[in-house]
Structures are given as C-alpha cells and as structure tokens.
Amino acid sequence: MSPRKMNATVIVGRDSLPGWALRGRVEYVSGGPQPGGMYFAAAPGAHALRLGARASAAQAVAVRPGAAYALTFAATRACARDGEREEALRVAVSPSFSAPGDVPVRTLYGAGAADAWAWGFRAAERNAQVEFSNPAAADDHDGDDSLNCGPLLAAVAFKELPAPMPSKDNLIRNGDFEAGPAAIPNSTAGVLLPPKRKDATSPLPGWIVESLRPVRLVDAPHFAVPQGQRAVELVAGREGAVAQVIRTAPGRAYNLSFAVGDARDGCEGAMLVHAVVVAGGGGGNATAKAAAAAVPYASRGGGGARQASLRFVASGRRARVTFYSSYYHTSAGDGVSPCGPVLDQVKVQPLMTKA
C-alpha cells in the first residue's frame, strides 16, 4: 500500500487499494494491539481492513449464472468493549439469488487472529459485485469508539462449488464433506459455516446448517479428521446442527452410518452426538416417523473416532437426516474457544429387505 494514498492508517481515495472499491472510513492496519483494545495477531507483513461506520469494500468478480459459489474470509472484531450492540460484518453479492446477511464477529470461535467464515451465494448474471461492509451507524458507539470498533477483514478467497449427487451406494450427497469452501491460506482455525437463517445458500454442498449458530469445517492438515481431508465439527451444542433431505422409497429399510470423533483441538470430556431421521412427511404426507440414536464419545482431545449406525424405515418419498451435539464444550487449551465432536463419513444405504 503506497504511503501517498494514506492519511496515517486511513486509505484515501475510492480506488486506492488495488482491486477494491472503497466507501467511507477504511483503514489499512497491521498486526498488534488495536486502538479499540483488541490484539490482532497477524504474520509479519500481513494486513487487514478496518471498516468504520457504514464503510465498505467491494470487488467485481466473474461468475457463471446459476452456479453456486462460496466466499471464504477472515474476520474479527477490533473493539474489546462489552456492550449490547452486536458487532457484525455484512456480506452482500449483487446481482444474485441470495440476500445480504450479517456475520457476528463479537463472538470469537477460535484462539487465533481471526475466525474464517464461508458465505454461499448463487449467481444471477455473468458479473457480480462482492461487498463487505460495517452495518453499524456512527451513533451506535459512545464517544470516539466509532473510530475503533469496526470489524477487521483480513483475507478473502472465492470458489465455485460443485453439485454432488447421490449414488446407489450412498443416498447422502457430500457425506464426507470434501466438497466445500476454499480454505484461507496459512489459517489453522477451520472455516465457520453460518446457519441457514443468515445464509440461505449453503457453502457446504448438499447440507443445511439448520440451527441458530454455526458449525465448523475442519481440515486434515490442522485437525484430526476420521477419513479424508475434511469433517464437520459441531461447536455450538444443540444450537448447531447439520441436516440433509434425501429421496427414499416408502416402506424401504435403510441404514444410516457415520463416524464421530474429536478434532485434536483440546476438546476433552464426554461428548454425545444425536442422529435423527424423520422418515417421511414430505409431499404432504403427515405420517412422518422418526428414528434416533445418541452416540457417546469419550474425548481426550488428542484425536480419534468411532463408527455408529442407525436403521430406519421410510414412510414417504423423502427423509430428513439431522446431526447435533447434546453438550457445549470449550477447548482445554484456553478454556473459552467453543469446540465439539467431529462428524464424518455419513452414508445412507438401502437394505435388501423391506420392513
């Protein structure tokens, strides 16, 4: 960043940051203590944007109409002051078939410099504008805090998502969670996936984050994964769930199998993962029947997994498969970072015999 285009840390000019269009007070900050009281731990030479009240940073991207995409970005708060206002980073893509939404940055899910989030959208035209903004007005803060309390945007990645299909051997799409958003280079924190109520287009193909809080996609280079390169960590207890709707044949028996473990991130203690299948109820069928299993796992925080299964009989042409954690956990490393059991290798296979 050229010093001639800055006034102290404030970027001067709409087009002064290559590739980005800026609006409002946008600062170019380095790692270390921040004026708002937070410490931004960044590698030497790394920088972030602090977005002031109503400020934004936008970039044009080329896309395929109708295709699904995922943005991955690192974000955190800059202000350590407690208060009632929820500090957030707003994500908007236009034109697209997805509405803008706010990612909460007041709650930190990792012990690193910033949390990595994914945001899904479906393109409407060949060109789209991706915009990150601070939705807070200046009067949302007291005194001069409005200059210090904007969210920090540290890195952005962009990826077109595949459209996985079920097979005769597995009715679950993307049951190994290998298809998903891009990772932030050099990030060891995994990627948080927001709930559907905030982001209607899931950045995890085939799956719905059907809950109040996010779940975390973890990778094998930095976490323990039961199989392959990726798995989902249920970091929000009963407030964080993943679900998928599959096609079934009425009266047919099926076997749901999956792996439960820990991510080797210091998450210790007794864990309990619930698998719930609502087998029917689709297409106006009001006679849905549920099958459920509660799978315990004793974690020492060092990795490991166990297999579990559940047999169910379909009573309609669709079934909803949902997973969530019964307990809330925090990492033994710092005592505050949310964590939880890992889910992987999800399969639904038809059985040869009917019920």
Side-chain angles (χ1 to χ4, degrees):
M1 187 72 193
S2 172
R4 294 178 299 176
K5 298 180 179 180
M6 297 179 64
N7 180 6
T9 60
V10 178
I11 302 174
V12 179
R14 177 182 182 275
D15 302 314
S16 295
L17 184 65
W20 293 89
L22 308 179
R23 177 175 57 86
R25 182 187 174 93
V26 179
E27 295 182 76
Y28 191 67
V29 301
S30 303
Q34 302 300 312
M38 292 293 290
Y39 185 89
F40 178 50
H47 296 85
L49 298 181
R50 181 191 288 122
L51 303 178
R54 302 297 188 192
S56 66
Q59 184 169 135
V61 294
V63 291
R64 284 195 312 113
Y69 291 84
L71 292 165
T72 310
F73 52 92
T76 189
R77 57 180 177 162
C79 185
R81 180 176 62 87
D82 291 331
E84 295 181 358
R85 190 186 59 82
E86 180 70 58
E87 196 166 351
L89 178 68
R90 179 161 294 169
V91 187
V93 181
S94 61
S96 76
F97 295 108
S98 303
D102 294 349
V103 170
V105 296
R106 182 177 171 184
T107 299
L108 300 179
Y109 284 83
D115 288 327
W117 288 84
W119 189 267
F121 70 93
R122 192 168 295 279
E125 298 180 6
R126 292 184 179 277
N127 295 289
Q129 178 170 274
V130 175
E131 182 181 77
F132 298 94
S133 64
N134 178 2
D139 57 7
D140 286 344
H141 302 274
D142 297 327
D144 294 330
D145 281 353
S146 60
L147 300 181
N148 303 324
C149 290
L152 293 179
L153 177 66
V156 181
F158 177 66
K159 179 183 177 182
E160 181 176 345
L161 296 173
M165 301 297 291
S167 68
K168 63 179 182 179
D169 297 320
N170 189 5
L171 302 184
I172 292 286
R173 294 167 290 153
N174 195 23
D176 53 7
F177 304 107
E178 298 296 300
I184 295 292
N186 302 319
S187 172
T188 61
V191 179
L192 293 169
L193 309 176
K196 182 181 178 181
R197 68 187 183 93
K198 288 185 175 291
D199 185 11
T201 302
S202 174
L204 187 63
W207 292 92
I208 306 166
V209 182
E210 196 175 54
S211 51
L212 298 175
R213 297 187 180 274
V215 299
R216 179 159 52 205
L217 188 65
V218 296
D219 58 359
H222 305 106
F223 299 87
V225 173
Q227 186 180 65
Q229 293 298 306
R230 286 180 159 183
V232 162
E233 186 180 12
L234 303 171
V235 296
R238 292 176 177 268
E239 295 180 282
V242 291
Q244 186 168 144
V245 177
I246 61 174
R247 292 183 179 275
T248 55
R252 187 73 182 267
Y254 297 86
N255 185 67
L256 166 66
S257 61
F258 53 97
V260 171
D262 75 272
R264 200 180 60 235
D265 56 359
C267 209
E268 301 176 354
M271 298 178 172
L272 189 65
V273 173
H274 292 264
V276 180
V277 180
V278 179
N285 186 349
T287 60
K289 297 181 180 179
V295 181
Y297 181 79
S299 172
R300 297 183 178 180
R306 60 162 293 188
Q307 299 291 322
S309 63
L310 170 65
R311 182 182 181 276
F312 68 94
V313 177
S315 57
R317 297 191 178 278
R318 287 178 175 81
R320 179 179 292 268
V321 181
T322 304
F323 297 93
Y324 65 91
S325 171
S326 188
Y327 307 137
Y328 295 85
H329 302 270
T330 56
S331 172
D334 59 18
V336 296
S337 298
C339 61
V342 162
L343 174 71
D344 199 6
Q345 297 173 263
V346 183
K347 293 183 178 180
V348 171
Q349 296 173 302
L351 299 177
M352 297 300 295
T353 58
K354 286 193 174 185

